[in-house]
């Protein structure tokens, strides 16, 4: 373990998650009470890029304190994820930034799509793509997102769901609209419009005439059955 006050020797990993002021502030408060930086050295790779401890580095710089560090010659940027997850887990946005910085085309396409919409976030988008089964989340974190080849299909589903939510928000006056923009409701809509026989225009028309059938449900399956009931009402081509 080595120590220094020459903070310029350290380099930021571009794929690391952004530095959060609240994290630095917590460390500053902790150090003010008792400086234990010597017990938590930061870890750098052979190029002096910070693999673990970028918030401790910022705190030490602000207080002009000795910074303790260990050079791990064999560390790579994936070690950064593993080490950070032992402290505060990465958010989906952290993973998106990580893979975009590495130039991963699927994630760059995904990020471009997110920025082109007015309402959807990563969680909602993955819910629509993955039908809320958890698989898309795992693939997303592991760098296995598949988005480009189904870009148009997913974009169509997202825009359709956005339109449905607008219809509900603009039409329901006296009732609580919040349940109909949550992940369970969105997942049910995503599953429904993934069915080959599903007619989006027909569903919009039926929904506007049967908004009284909407009610809050405890599960995605409950919302799915409710939405199927609306779609299948007097429909010669119902969805099973």
């Amino acid at each position: 373990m080595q120590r220094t006050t020459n903070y310029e020797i350290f380099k930021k990993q571009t794929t690391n998650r952004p530095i959060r002021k609240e994290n630095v502030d917590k460390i500053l408060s902790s150090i003010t009470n008792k400086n234990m930086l010597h017990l938590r050295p930061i870890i750098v790779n052979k190029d002096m890029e910070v693999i673990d401890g970028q918030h401790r580095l910022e705190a030490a710089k602000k207080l002009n304190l000795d910074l303790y560090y260990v050079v791990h010659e064999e560390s790579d940027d994936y070690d950064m994820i593993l080490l950070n997850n032992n402290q505060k887990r990465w958010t989906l946005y952290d993973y998106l930034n990580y893979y975009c910085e590495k130039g991963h085309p699927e994630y760059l396409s995904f990020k471009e799509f997110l920025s082109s919409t007015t309402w959807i976030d990563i969680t909602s988008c993955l819910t629509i793509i993955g039908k809320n089964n958890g698989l898309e989340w795992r693939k997303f974190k592991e760098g296995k997102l598949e988005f480009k080849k189904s870009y148009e299909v997913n974009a169509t589903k997202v825009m359709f769901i956005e339109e449905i939510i607008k219809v509900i928000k603009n039409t329901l006056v006296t009732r609580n609209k919040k349940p109909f923009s949550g992940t369970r409701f969105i997942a049910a809509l995503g599953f429904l419009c993934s069915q080959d026989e599903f007619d989006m225009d027909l569903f919009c028309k039926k929904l506007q005439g049967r908004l009284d059938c909407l009610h809050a449900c405890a599960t995605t399956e409950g919302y799915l059955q409710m939405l199927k009931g609306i779609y299948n009402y007097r429909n010669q081509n119902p969805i099973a």
Side-chain angles (χ1 to χ4, degrees):
M1 183 168 65
Q2 304 177 60
R3 69 177 180 179
T4 185
T5 53
N6 181 14
Y7 314 114
E8 302 306 315
I9 65 174
F10 303 108
K11 303 172 186 175
K12 186 181 187 305
Q13 262 278 10
T14 57
T15 53
N16 204 343
R17 56 185 172 183
I19 292 175
R20 293 184 171 85
K21 181 179 181 299
E22 59 270 24
N23 289 7
V24 176
D25 288 344
K26 287 181 180 177
I27 295 172
L28 287 171
S29 176
S30 175
I31 293 174
T32 300
N33 290 327
K34 186 174 183 180
N35 182 4
M36 294 192 293
L37 286 175
H38 60 289
L39 297 178
R40 291 289 307 281
I42 70 170
I43 299 175
V44 299
N45 62 20
K46 57 182 173 44
D47 298 316
M48 297 303 286
E49 294 174 325
V50 179
I51 298 298
D52 178 55
Q54 61 175 353
H55 291 93
R56 297 196 295 280
L57 169 58
E58 290 301 311
K61 286 167 64 175
K62 287 180 179 296
L63 297 175
N64 195 31
L65 295 173
D66 282 342
L67 183 68
Y68 295 79
Y69 66 98
V70 173
V71 180
H72 196 286
E73 298 280 347
E74 299 176 359
S75 282
D76 57 30
D77 55 2
Y78 191 72
D79 292 338
M80 175 178 60
I81 297 178
L82 298 177
L83 288 165
N84 279 301
N85 273 340
N86 287 330
Q87 298 167 52
K88 183 175 181 180
R89 290 194 173 277
W90 277 32
T91 67
L92 293 175
Y93 283 96
D94 291 330
Y95 283 102
L96 178 61
N97 175 69
Y98 171 76
Y99 290 114
C100 284
E101 286 291 339
K102 291 180 74 68
H104 198 304
E106 297 289 343
Y107 290 80
L108 290 169
S109 177
F110 185 79
K111 185 175 183 178
E112 179 185 0
F113 174 71
L114 287 177
S115 65
S116 71
T117 64
T118 58
W119 70 281
I120 198 165
D121 57 15
I122 294 179
T123 300
S124 297
C125 198
L126 290 179
T127 295
I128 294 167
I129 296 170
K131 307 182 185 67
N132 206 31
N133 60 12
L135 178 60
E136 261 343 285
W137 273 263
R138 187 163 63 252
K139 288 170 59 179
F140 186 85
K141 293 177 180 179
E142 293 174 351
K144 299 176 182 177
L145 175 70
E146 296 177 359
F147 187 77
K148 287 187 70 175
K149 67 181 181 182
S150 54
Y151 186 103
E152 291 186 9
V153 173
N154 289 325
T156 300
K157 287 198 289 184
V158 168
M159 299 308 173
F160 164 71
I161 291 172
E162 181 178 21
E163 184 61 32
I164 292 300
I165 292 174
K166 282 182 180 178
V167 169
I168 293 172
K169 287 184 175 180
N170 293 337
T171 310
L172 287 180
V173 179
T174 60
R175 292 165 58 190
N176 179 17
K177 308 177 185 74
K178 189 174 181 180
F180 310 115
S181 58
T183 54
R184 292 187 180 91
F185 183 76
I186 289 172
L189 275 173
F191 182 86
L192 192 66
C193 64
S194 296
Q195 307 308 301
D196 293 335
E197 62 271 34
F198 183 74
D199 185 322
M200 293 185 180
D201 292 333
L202 177 61
F203 181 78
C204 285
K205 293 177 182 177
K206 285 184 171 292
L207 179 63
Q208 288 177 330
R210 293 179 62 78
L211 283 169
D212 58 316
C213 295
L214 289 176
H215 57 85
C217 299
T219 64
T220 299
E221 180 62 26
Y223 279 117
L224 180 59
Q225 293 307 315
M226 178 187 71
L227 294 172
K228 280 184 179 180
I230 294 172
Y231 182 78
N232 290 339
Y233 181 71
R234 294 182 178 177
N235 188 346
Q236 294 182 347
N237 300 299
I239 291 177

